[in-house]
Amino acid sequence: MTDRASTISPARAIALEVLTGVRERDAYANLLLPVVLRRQGPSREDAAFATELAYGTLRLAGRYDAIIASAAGRPLTAIDPATLDVLRLGVHQLLALRTARHAAVHQAVEQVRAVRGRGAAGFANAVLRRVGERDSDAWTAVLVDGVTDPVQRAAIATGHPLWVALELRDALAAMADGGGDLQPLLEVDDAAPPVGLVALPGLADRDAVVDPAGLAIRHHRLSPIGLELDGGDPGALADVASGVVRVQDPGSQLAALALSRARPVRRGERWLDLCAGPGGKAALLAAEARLGGAALVSNEIAPARARLVRGALAAVPGEHEVETGDGRRFADGARRFDRILLDAPCSGLGALRRRPEARWRKRPEDLPGLIAQQGQLLDAAIAALVPGGLIAYVTCSPVTAETTDVIGAALGRHPGLKPLRTAPVLDAVSGRALRDAERGTAAQLWPHRHGTDAMFVQLLTRA
């Protein structure tokens, strides 16, 4: 068994360890993979291959499961879970990567032999050879045969749960331009996104950020403080190591800047980040507050995440107030703030490209509890806002029930609450006309339109 394992490429061994951790321990791939890479110390090329194998396989796991079941002639429940993980990796190599067919099959067979023995290896060999008889398009034709509903066909073709595809379709339909571009959105969800970086204002110059490995770093086309890196290890950048440049999606940057730059900052303003963990937006707001003479209070309910917030704020000079507690306690109105960011807990369906296994973990029954919490937190933010102050209600989900419905319900409960047109604010922040981001009075960013996560941003004020 040891000799067999030693013939398996480092990248494939790392990817399988990640898939096993996700399956057995409900690990998050984007947190587990960096740990495994640091421990194993692969070459740059092997690290990149392992990342694509693990993330790509997890993103399309549902699609690959349907293909495996068809090729195996048996239900997934009849396939050993460890063998199934290896088969998924093999299918991804055969259908999505340029891996030589014999290498993909041979390595998968050796992995199965190492973990489950000769009999399972023979089964894996037979299944993968059947899979390799068709290319990806041909397998799509097999899977959608007899399916007439266009959304269901798109969901099958791109490896999305149907309920997720339906929610995304409805959110696109709510755009000012009427949407209709579901297929491009689902396809972008399946592609590896660039690494987003933010240069904290007043602390880092994005033009001076250099990758020591020589990889190209480019400006994001919308965020005035955003950068993008195609692969590589952002931790190798000196400014990332010091904390003045952080890994952050450009959509998150724009959401925070919509609050901090919607109007000039008056010295002495008090700001609140109501749900601050893990601290990325808090660090950006703290840098913006420092430049304008404002003070930021960061609140986080989970002690472990509150520690992450303190770590994120450490790069910003000055004293930082971080509180640990339920944000709904601010509903007592005992303290008032001029600007409040409510980055509400949500389904995360707008960040599926960055969270590869998330689409298969989320369930529609998760939504009611989240929606109730979102409304309660927004009520607390409204109670804590000074008259004339600003709230940015933000989710990394475009789902209607978590976004415009939450806002509409809050407007009904609070007659003095007023929505502000948010897309023009992002126009000013980005220097671009984002007509394709208008969603009523809110701004809705999209991966396929804007190169960001699907962030929903609604600015509100209180009379």
Side-chain angles (χ1 to χ4, degrees):
M1 301 280 271
T2 302
D3 290 342
R4 292 286 184 186
S6 67
T7 67
I8 298 165
S9 75
R12 293 179 174 89
I14 290 168
L16 181 58
E17 183 174 346
V18 172
L19 263 65
T20 302
V22 169
R23 173 175 53 81
E24 292 184 345
R25 305 191 304 276
D26 281 336
Y28 292 96
N30 64 327
L31 299 180
L32 176 58
L33 177 62
V35 173
V36 179
L37 289 175
R38 282 194 296 270
R39 187 180 73 241
Q40 299 290 356
S43 68
R44 189 183 188 96
E45 292 74 17
D46 278 338
F49 187 35
T51 299
E52 171 51 37
L53 272 179
Y55 287 178
T57 300
L58 287 167
R59 285 190 192 98
L60 294 170
R63 170 180 166 82
Y64 293 158
D65 285 354
I67 291 171
I68 290 166
S70 176
R74 65 180 71 175
L76 294 178
T77 53
I79 301 175
D80 170 72
T83 300
L84 182 58
D85 282 341
V86 179
L87 289 173
R88 289 165 174 161
L89 287 171
V91 173
H92 185 61
Q93 293 170 73
L94 289 169
L95 301 184
L97 303 181
R98 295 179 179 177
T99 309
R101 182 179 301 181
H102 71 274
V105 174
H106 172 72
Q107 285 279 297
V109 169
E110 291 304 305
Q111 282 186 295
V112 172
R113 195 191 310 273
V115 298
R116 284 297 181 261
R118 180 179 299 177
F123 168 72
N125 182 60
V127 171
L128 291 175
R129 289 189 181 279
R130 290 192 197 105
V131 171
E133 291 171 358
R134 295 184 172 97
D135 64 13
S136 183
D137 290 342
W139 272 113
T140 296
V142 170
L143 297 180
V144 302
D145 184 42
V147 178
T148 58
D149 179 74
V151 177
Q152 188 174 0
R153 288 176 67 91
I156 292 170
T158 59
H160 285 73
L162 178 58
W163 80 272
V164 171
L166 289 169
E167 291 288 359
L168 295 176
R169 179 204 61 182
D170 292 346
L172 281 166
M175 299 296 291
D177 60 14
D181 47 345
L182 176 64
Q183 184 77 28
L185 170 59
L186 299 181
E187 290 173 355
V188 167
D189 267 353
D190 290 344
V195 178
L197 301 172
V198 58
L200 295 182
L203 300 173
D205 177 5
R206 70 171 177 170
D207 292 323
V209 179
V210 177
D211 185 346
L215 293 180
I217 299 177
R218 62 185 178 273
H219 290 183
H220 188 266
R221 61 189 177 92
L222 296 181
S223 172
I225 54 175
L227 296 160
E228 288 185 323
L229 175 67
D230 287 324
D233 178 13
L237 277 63
D239 286 335
V240 172
S242 70
V244 297
V245 172
R246 298 183 53 80
V247 175
Q248 186 177 62
D249 180 78
S252 294
Q253 300 166 32
L254 290 168
L257 294 179
L259 179 66
S260 64
R261 300 188 181 182
R263 60 174 65 149
V265 179
R266 292 176 288 105
R267 184 165 294 277
E269 282 188 6
R270 285 176 53 78
W271 298 2
L272 172 65
D273 186 349
L274 192 57
C275 302
K281 295 184 186 70
L284 175 49
L285 286 178
E288 288 275 282
R290 173 176 172 268
L291 293 177
L296 174 70
V297 175
S298 300
N299 180 77
E300 170 55 43
I301 189 171
R305 287 168 63 88
R307 288 193 292 272
L308 294 176
V309 175
R310 293 186 182 93
L313 293 171
V316 182
E319 296 293 324
H320 302 290
E321 190 174 346
V322 179
E323 300 183 7
T324 303
D326 191 325
R328 288 172 286 198
R329 73 185 186 282
F330 287 91
D332 63 10
R335 289 180 288 170
R336 296 292 182 90
F337 298 88
D338 299 279
R339 304 188 197 215
I340 300 175
L341 173 66
L342 172 50
D343 185 12
C346 68
S347 66
L349 295 190
L352 295 181
R353 60 186 189 145
R354 297 195 186 277
R355 300 168 188 170
E357 74 282 357
R359 68 186 72 179
W360 309 112
R361 282 183 170 167
K362 306 294 183 182
R363 297 288 183 271
E365 52 267 29
D366 298 337
L367 291 178
L370 287 169
I371 293 162
Q373 188 179 20
Q374 290 157 357
Q376 293 161 4
L377 286 166
L378 184 51
D379 287 343
I382 295 164
L385 189 69
V386 300
L390 286 174
I391 293 172
Y393 177 82
V394 175
T395 63
C396 59
S397 167
V399 172
T400 300
E402 299 183 89
T403 55
T404 52
D405 285 359
V406 170
I407 296 297
L411 292 172
R413 293 192 301 272
H414 302 276
L417 190 66
K418 179 183 177 183
L420 302 176
R421 290 189 63 220
T422 305
V425 175
L426 291 188
D427 289 352
V429 167
S430 68
R432 304 284 183 93
L434 301 182
R435 295 183 183 88
D436 58 354
E438 292 187 7
R439 184 177 178 184
T441 57
Q444 177 66 66
L445 300 171
W446 294 101
H448 64 303
R449 294 186 179 192
H450 308 109
T452 71
D453 289 345
M455 304 295 294
F456 175 88
V457 188
Q458 176 67 73
L459 293 175
L460 301 158
T461 190
R462 178 184 176 211

